[in-house]
Amino acid sequence: MGRVTDSTALPDWFNATCAEALVPELERDAELADTFVRLCGKFRMTQGAVAGLRLEDVWLPWQRKAFRASFQCRESLWIMGKGSSKSVCVSAMAIAFVMLSHARGINTRGLVAIVAPTIPTARIVFDHVTECILADDELRTQFKSNVQSRSIVHEASGIAIQVLPCDMKAAVGRRPVLLICDELHEIAQINNATPVLNQLRQGGANFGRDFKVVSVSTMPIVAPVGEFKRQLTYA
């Protein structure tokens, strides 16, 4: 289909014949984005038939392009079906973001915040992150976990990956450099979801162009509401 279907910003994107064609190709920070994708690919798989392999051994072309585009955007929204490795993808992004920040000497003592409709849901991503680190000989010695605060910290940079409930008390004063919203359509059912996420966005603005938001969601069978509807409308 050529570049006609390279972006959903174009009118006939729905004629795309493959998922890869739906992901826009951007030029911003191209070299850093390529490094970010390589780091995402090093994510160690720990579950199912692919346990022990790295993500780069099994990923699909659209995933590589989506990792790259999300790094180049301030905000990105992934709408995917169930069983499409949403949690694995954002877990890989969380670790890659920390390691790239450390390599560049930036975002020291920053926060990668994982927000979900419930703590058990958020822990799905957090458990993927933890299990990957424990299964990787190089990463295992670089991170320290805190079960009580549901966080894991990269000791050299001080960057923490932490699960947060979607409530204002948890959001006030937080300054995430990367905000991950898991199952956004369910987060949107929470009454104050938009103010909570906006509070986190405002805190993240302190990091300037380094701040990023990645939201992932399935598409519900009911009409979108709240924050999910707002993001769809904006997109």
Side-chain angles (χ1 to χ4, degrees):
M1 302 296 292
R3 293 197 60 83
V4 174
T5 57
D6 277 350
S7 171
T8 53
L10 296 174
D12 54 352
W13 63 269
F14 48 84
N15 289 321
T17 57
C18 65
E20 184 180 5
L22 292 173
V23 185
E25 296 182 10
L26 309 175
E27 299 301 325
R28 177 180 174 181
D29 298 327
E31 186 174 342
L32 279 175
D34 289 338
T35 302
F36 177 73
V37 172
R38 287 195 294 272
L39 289 171
C40 288
K42 300 304 178 184
F43 183 86
R44 180 77 69 177
M45 313 291 285
T46 61
Q47 299 180 11
V50 296
L53 299 177
R54 295 191 184 274
L55 182 55
E56 64 187 1
D57 298 322
V58 296
W59 61 9
L60 299 172
W62 74 262
Q63 290 174 307
R64 293 197 302 270
K65 289 187 65 177
F67 285 137
R68 191 178 194 275
S70 288
F71 182 83
Q72 293 170 299
C73 293
R74 173 65 174 263
E75 294 207 22
S76 56
L77 172 60
W78 297 28
I79 301 177
M80 304 157 63
K82 290 187 178 294
S84 300
S85 302
K86 296 187 299 296
S87 297
V88 169
C89 287
V90 295
S91 299
M93 293 176 72
I95 296 178
F97 194 88
V98 171
M99 300 311 296
L100 182 57
S101 295
H102 173 56
R104 299 176 64 200
I106 63 174
N107 304 327
T108 302
R109 295 188 297 280
L111 172 66
V112 174
I114 302 169
V115 178
T118 64
I119 291 298
T121 302
R123 284 205 64 95
I124 295 173
V125 175
F126 186 71
D127 288 346
H128 275 301
V129 170
T130 303
E131 291 169 10
C132 167
I133 290 171
L134 291 175
D136 192 294
D137 291 338
E138 288 192 29
L139 295 180
R140 191 186 309 124
T141 60
Q142 298 187 46
F143 287 84
K144 182 177 181 179
S145 63
N146 186 319
V147 176
Q148 185 175 4
S149 65
R150 295 184 295 268
S151 66
I152 189 163
V153 179
H154 183 255
E155 294 191 280
S157 67
I159 302 174
I161 302 173
Q162 185 172 16
V163 171
L164 297 178
C166 188
D167 63 57
M168 191 60 73
K169 183 177 179 180
V172 170
R174 300 283 187 168
R175 297 173 55 187
V177 66
L178 172 62
L179 173 60
I180 295 173
C181 303
D182 193 18
E183 293 297 358
L184 182 65
H185 77 280
E186 292 187 8
I187 290 176
Q189 303 294 327
I190 299 172
N191 288 335
N192 63 341
T194 295
V196 169
L197 296 183
N198 283 342
Q199 180 72 32
L200 292 169
R201 286 187 180 94
Q202 290 167 14
N206 288 279
F207 288 97
R209 63 180 291 162
D210 290 321
F211 173 59
K212 304 186 187 304
V213 181
V214 179
S215 300
V216 296
S217 184
T218 52
M219 180 63 77
I221 60 174
V222 297
V225 299
E227 177 64 13
F228 186 46
K229 180 179 180 180
R230 188 197 68 78
Q231 288 201 31
L232 284 175
T233 302
Y234 178 74

